[in-house]
Amino acid sequence: MNAPVYNFAYLDEQTKRMIRRAILKAIAIPGYQVPFASREMPMPYGWGTGGVQVTAAIVGPDDILKVIDQGSDDTTNAVSIRKFFARTAGVRTTTSTGDATVIQTRHRIPETPLHAGQILVYQVPIPEPLRFLAPRETETRRMHALSEYGLMHVKLYEDIARHGHIATTYAYPVKVDSRYVMDPSPIPKFDNPKMNDSPALQLFGAGREKRIYAIPPHTSVVSLDFEDHPFERYRHEATCAICGAVDSFLDEVVTDDSGGRMFVCSDTDYCATQGPHEVKRV
Amino acid sequence: MYVAVKGGERAIENAHTLLAHERRGDPSVPELSLAQISQQLTLAVDRVMTEGSLYDRDLAALAIKQARGDLIEAIFLLRAFRATLPRFGATAPVDTAAMDIRRRISATFKDLPGGQVLGPTFDYTHRLLEPSTDAPVSEPATGAAYEGTTPRVTDLLANDDLIERDDNSASAIPGDLTREPLSFPAERDLRLQNLARGDEGFLLALGYSTQRGYGRTHPFAGEIRLGDVEVEFFAEDAGFAVPLGHITMTECQMINQFAGSATEAPKFTRGYGLAFGHCERKVMSMALVDRALRARELGEEQAAPAQDEEFVLSHSDNVQATGFVEHLKLPHYVDFQAELGLVRRLRAQFESAQDVGDVPVREAAE
């Protein structure tokens, strides 16, 4: 049997070039979904194959990689992907948001503001913001081409009519550079404002759906809303039980089966840098 | 020249002998034992037990061996055997909240009573071919057994009235589509039974379609748990429930989009999946399709394939499906000859019309 040999960062160089061309096009047309020939990766679709391909195409030997899932470096899938790149590319890894040059993320944007030169790679399950309004690609691509986004506003309006609120709490649609409506991946809408005018490059990879899109640094990103129902961030009205943060996005942790709850920072690196505290039951 | 008009019996006998020969493969390679199949192809055994609706690891292993690894054929073998078994009665509902947990994960809470227990999972392996899987494996990590309870996530939410209650009406005796033919509209008990027996691939594709917008249900994997549950049988003579033993089961509780109305506060809804053994993909798919099929009861638009009860339930059974698809291999000489005769007649009419010239060709009709 021939022992399999794998290239730096797993993908072969031709594939990396193909992905880089897609990334360059995506940067040139902010918010536009560029089709790319997504490969089978050694983890299942849905685990971040798009993000992993983007990271594999851009990471170099000098990079310092951070991987988070749900804001945390220590969640199983983040550990797995970090180990994958440590093994296949031998790159240095970190949990520090400030030290990382490339951050691959699932479902969160770090609390610590990003700086110029950093790249944030999002794992995207459904890249098409209009998918749940019109499931057919043939229709949604035409709607994007014609900037025909009325249906999205009707959906948000119907939410308000039915619930009194816009009932989208994550993957909240945004308009990029006043042109394309874009799905920011399932980040909580708390994170949406961080995308706007960010000094970092933001890349989005959807492996199963074979799409890459991008927000170049200092691009306008506006969450869709109405004048009388402006966009609002949401966080639990609580304090982190570990670090005491009052400004971070919180995870609810169930402590018993009689209604006991506590709240902790979703971003574990941010939590650690706020200074350690005893766990307080709230 | 060989004319296959007679001689079917001999041909069939020879084919069976050849099949047995092919099943055995190269005789210089040691024969597979049933223990090897049941110990080392555990997930194949689990799938065959689930879709075969019969909890028996040894028989499932035998079926897999006899079917040369064709799992649908193995399921078929097990179903055919099951159909011959006398029925003494039905067990009491198993209590999955009291499960002896081997794996338990929640995608909705970072931590919760009983904790996240990864257990034996492919989830975070890298899919790199490892030719050395025959090397001795290291002993798994051990630790003190967890003493507390592991309440179901849906029960925790139900305590706060954030999710719809389970319908626990004890008086309702669940139906059994292996004893009574399925009719439409079908209630949830029969739908769940159909899905539990249904083809994993079919349910997977349907569940996937709901995630891609064809009948979206906003699912969260509230909890997946794997472990042993006790099976009890209420013995009329004794007057109490008698434990029969333990079986391994996988359960998935999907937490889905909330619904509310003028009279009812918004709350999450449920999708449910349950299978014998370790069948995680199956129970997750089942839970997605279960929830999609509740569109009628929850007053949702029914437009997508996964919401079409009759379509889903009529086509989910792979033993039925494979039978009807593959029956096309059987002789259809008579029907085809009749069709052939008709096509020849129509062609003759077409050609004579062409000869005449301007006579319009009429639509072919039976």
Side-chain angles (χ1 to χ4, degrees):
Chain A
M1 190 186 296
N2 292 323
V5 177
Y6 298 103
N7 190 31
F8 176 84
Y10 186 77
L11 293 174
D12 62 280
E13 293 303 315
Q14 270 185 324
T15 298
K16 287 185 191 171
R17 278 197 288 274
M18 173 274 291
I19 295 172
R20 287 175 197 145
R21 281 195 293 273
I23 292 172
L24 289 174
K25 181 169 179 180
I27 293 169
I29 318 172
Y32 172 75
Q33 302 166 52
V34 182
F36 82 110
S38 174
R39 299 291 195 257
E40 302 282 352
M41 297 302 285
M43 55 277 287
Y45 289 121
W47 263 236
T49 53
V52 168
Q53 288 181 77
V54 169
T55 299
I58 60 170
V59 78
D62 299 332
D63 273 310
I64 304 172
L65 178 68
K66 171 182 166 80
V67 183
I68 52 173
D69 188 339
Q70 315 296 304
S72 165
D73 299 273
D74 196 37
T75 42
T76 43
N77 199 36
V79 172
S80 171
I81 291 172
R82 190 164 56 241
K83 277 191 178 164
F84 175 74
F85 282 112
R87 175 174 174 180
T88 59
V91 291
R92 280 181 293 161
T93 59
T94 182
T95 58
S96 160
T97 300
D99 293 346
T101 57
V102 176
I103 303 172
Q104 181 168 329
T105 180
R106 178 168 172 267
H107 294 192
R108 276 311 309 277
I109 298 174
E111 307 288 2
T112 308
L114 301 178
H115 56 77
Q118 287 184 307
I119 303 177
L120 185 60
V121 178
Y122 295 74
Q123 301 174 195
V124 180
I126 301 273
E128 178 51 74
L130 306 171
R131 170 66 54 78
F132 297 113
L133 306 173
R136 282 175 212 289
E137 192 75 27
T138 40
E139 288 176 33
T140 54
R141 285 183 78 82
R142 201 195 58 220
M143 288 158 76
H144 282 296
L146 301 174
S147 292
E148 200 180 281
Y149 294 127
L151 207 54
M152 180 64 90
H153 281 101
V154 170
K155 191 262 169 199
L156 297 176
Y157 171 76
E158 283 181 349
D159 272 1
I160 293 169
R162 196 172 300 142
H163 303 288
H165 294 276
I166 293 176
T168 302
T169 56
Y170 58 89
Y172 190 100
V174 295
K175 192 169 232 185
V176 179
D177 198 25
S178 310
R179 174 60 180 86
Y180 284 99
V181 168
M182 188 195 90
D183 183 314
S185 86
I187 58 173
K189 66 180 181 179
F190 175 85
D191 282 342
N192 270 24
K194 298 176 189 168
M195 288 184 288
N196 181 46
D197 196 30
S198 170
L201 170 63
Q202 301 172 75
L203 300 177
F204 298 77
R208 186 180 42 78
E209 300 275 346
K210 302 178 171 55
R211 295 289 184 275
I212 285 172
Y213 50 101
I215 304 173
H218 301 296
T219 300
S220 112
V221 178
V222 178
S223 302
L224 301 185
D225 63 358
F226 297 99
E227 275 176 22
D228 51 347
H229 280 88
F231 172 82
E232 281 176 355
R233 300 171 91 183
Y234 175 82
R235 71 185 286 280
H236 292 299
E237 281 180 30
T239 306
C240 172
I242 296 173
C243 74
V246 294
D247 55 352
S248 63
F249 191 77
L250 298 172
D251 282 336
E252 182 174 335
V253 173
V254 183
T255 52
D256 55 41
D257 57 359
S258 51
R261 300 275 190 278
M262 67 174 190
F263 294 91
V264 295
C265 286
S266 138
D267 184 335
T268 46
D269 174 60
Y270 181 78
C271 194
T273 57
Q274 301 307 295
H277 298 263
E278 289 296 305
V279 173
K280 287 171 291 206
R281 291 287 155 109
V282 284
Chain B
M1 195 175 88
Y2 175 69
V3 180
V5 176
K6 297 240 184 254
E9 197 172 319
R10 177 81 184 282
I12 287 173
E13 271 175 29
N14 285 343
H16 289 173
T17 310
L18 185 58
L19 173 66
H21 182 79
E22 296 271 309
R23 177 191 297 132
R24 177 61 184 87
D26 183 347
S28 69
V29 176
E31 187 175 346
L32 208 50
S33 74
L34 296 187
Q36 285 172 331
I37 294 172
S38 113
Q39 288 294 310
Q40 295 171 38
L41 298 179
T42 40
L43 299 182
V45 170
D46 290 344
R47 179 174 174 193
V48 169
M49 292 197 304
T50 293
E51 293 173 33
S53 294
L54 185 66
Y55 193 92
D56 189 318
R57 299 197 72 79
D58 296 335
L59 288 180
L62 173 62
I64 290 167
K65 185 179 175 189
Q66 189 177 328
R68 304 171 66 190
D70 179 338
L71 295 190
I72 291 182
E73 181 70 21
I75 290 160
F76 187 13
L77 285 166
L78 215 56
R79 288 261 192 101
F81 175 72
R82 178 191 191 273
T84 67
L85 297 175
R87 180 164 307 192
F88 302 114
T91 65
V94 293
D95 182 8
T96 53
M99 178 182 273
D100 195 5
I101 298 281
R102 290 214 289 279
R103 168 167 164 79
R104 187 276 197 118
I105 52 165
S106 169
T108 51
F109 292 103
K110 191 175 202 166
D111 198 7
L112 63 173
Q116 305 261 13
V117 182
L118 269 187
T121 176
F122 292 120
D123 284 355
Y124 304 102
T125 62
H126 298 142
R127 269 45 166 216
L128 305 172
L129 288 168
E130 311 264 13
S132 60
T133 44
D134 50 355
V137 293
S138 39
E139 283 295 308
T142 55
Y146 174 68
E147 298 284 330
T149 57
T150 307
R152 287 179 296 215
V153 168
T154 42
D155 293 343
L156 295 172
L157 287 170
N159 287 345
D160 291 346
D161 206 28
L162 288 169
I163 194 166
E164 55 178 344
R165 302 274 165 182
D166 261 332
D167 180 11
N168 282 331
S169 41
S171 60
I173 297 166
D176 182 350
L177 55 81
T178 69
R179 299 291 154 126
E180 292 286 335
L182 189 61
S183 63
F184 300 105
E187 290 311 309
R188 194 165 175 218
D189 54 342
L190 288 170
R191 296 201 306 256
L192 286 169
Q193 185 189 12
N194 177 289
L195 298 179
R197 291 159 57 87
D199 183 72
E200 178 174 307
F202 180 72
L203 298 188
L204 176 67
L206 281 174
Y208 179 44
S209 72
T210 68
Q211 288 181 277
R212 291 192 71 260
Y214 293 83
R216 192 189 189 194
T217 62
H218 303 255
F220 291 95
E223 175 169 344
I224 296 158
R225 54 171 63 196
L226 159 73
D228 284 3
V229 292
E230 186 161 58
V231 180
E232 290 184 322
F233 182 75
F234 187 82
E236 294 282 352
D237 302 344
F240 55 84
V242 182
L244 298 181
H246 288 85
I247 62 174
T248 302
M249 299 200 92
T250 315
E251 180 185 59
C252 173
Q253 298 256 14
M254 236 16 126
I255 299 173
N256 298 81
Q257 67 192 357
F258 50 89
S261 64
T263 55
E264 207 177 345
K267 57 178 67 174
F268 292 107
T269 57
R270 295 167 185 257
Y272 188 72
L274 186 70
F276 288 149
H278 192 183
C279 290
E280 215 158 294
R281 184 186 302 125
K282 169 64 182 272
V283 294
M284 295 183 75
S285 308
M286 177 176 168
L288 289 173
V289 178
D290 169 46
R291 177 60 183 79
L293 288 178
R294 297 182 60 210
R296 172 168 51 91
E297 144 201 3
L298 294 169
E300 295 164 342
E301 186 193 18
Q302 291 168 263
Q307 297 168 322
D308 186 332
E309 167 183 298
E310 193 164 345
F311 176 81
V312 173
L313 300 186
S314 302
H315 302 116
S316 61
D317 190 302
N318 54 27
V319 177
Q320 290 172 3
T322 200
F324 200 54
V325 167
E326 295 200 43
H327 106 286
L328 294 172
K329 293 183 285 194
L330 298 184
H332 285 77
Y333 313 141
V334 173
D335 308 351
F336 185 69
Q337 291 306 314
E339 292 272 289
L340 194 58
L342 176 62
V343 171
R344 285 199 177 114
R345 269 205 316 282
L346 294 174
R347 286 180 61 86
Q349 281 170 12
F350 177 85
E351 273 157 26
S352 60
Q354 293 281 305
D355 290 345
V356 173
D358 55 354
V359 178
V361 180
R362 280 189 298 181
E363 286 284 304
E366 299 238 0

